[in-house]
Amino acid sequence: MATIKVHVVSAEESIFSGDAELVSLPGMSGELGILPGHVPLITLIRPGFVRIRLAGKSEPEQVFVAGGVLEVQPDMVTVLADTAVRSKDLDEARAAKALEEVRALRQVATGELEIARLEAEMAALAAQLVAIKKIRQQR
C-alpha cells in the first residue's frame, strides 16, 4: 500500500516523523482521515488523538494534541501542535495535579491575558485527562 510522510511537532520537539498508510485526527469540523494523495488542506485541529497507521502494524501510533494546525499535501502531512504527547507518555496523576494547580492560579488571576492563557491551559489538560481515560478503556 502507498504511504504518506507524517510529521507531528510541538513547540518543544518533534514527536513523530515517519511514513504511514493513514492518518486520522479531530478537525474543527469533525474527524479527518488522510490517505496518500489527499488534496491539499490547511485546517485547525481540536484537542484529541492523532492516530497514525504504520505499514504492517495493527495498532496505530497515537499522539495526543491539545490543538494546533494541520497541513496536508498529497505526499506529506504536518501537524503543528500547541502541545503534543505520545500516548505512552501520558500520565493521569501528573495531568490531574497540573489541572488543579492551574485552576488554583485561575482563581487569583486578574489580567485578561493571564486569565485567557490559564483557561486555555485548563482546557488542554482536561482534554488530556479525557484522552487518558479513553486509552485506558481501549486496553
Side-chain angles (χ1 to χ4, degrees), residues 28-43:
M28 292 306 283
S29 299
E31 193 69 18
L32 297 167
I34 311 296
L35 292 166
H38 196 285
V39 298
L41 168 72
I42 294 178
T43 188

Side-chain angles (χ1 to χ4, degrees), residues 120-139:
E121 192 172 342
M122 286 184 337
L125 287 166
Q128 187 174 344
L129 285 168
V130 168
I132 291 168
K133 290 175 183 170
K134 282 184 183 179
I135 287 176
R136 211 173 346 141
Q137 290 172 352
Q138 291 173 356
R139 291 181 182 157

Side-chain angles (χ1 to χ4, degrees), residues 4 21-25 32-36 38 41 70 72-73 76-77:
I4 190 168
E21 294 178 342
L22 169 71
V23 179
S24 56
L25 65 156
L32 297 167
I34 311 296
L35 292 166
H38 196 285
L41 168 72
L70 168 70
V72 178
Q73 294 297 323
M76 186 175 358
V77 173

Side-chain angles (χ1 to χ4, degrees), residues 43-46 65-70 80-82:
T43 188
L44 295 175
I45 54 177
R46 293 178 297 143
V65 294
V69 177
L70 168 70
L80 304 170
D82 299 334

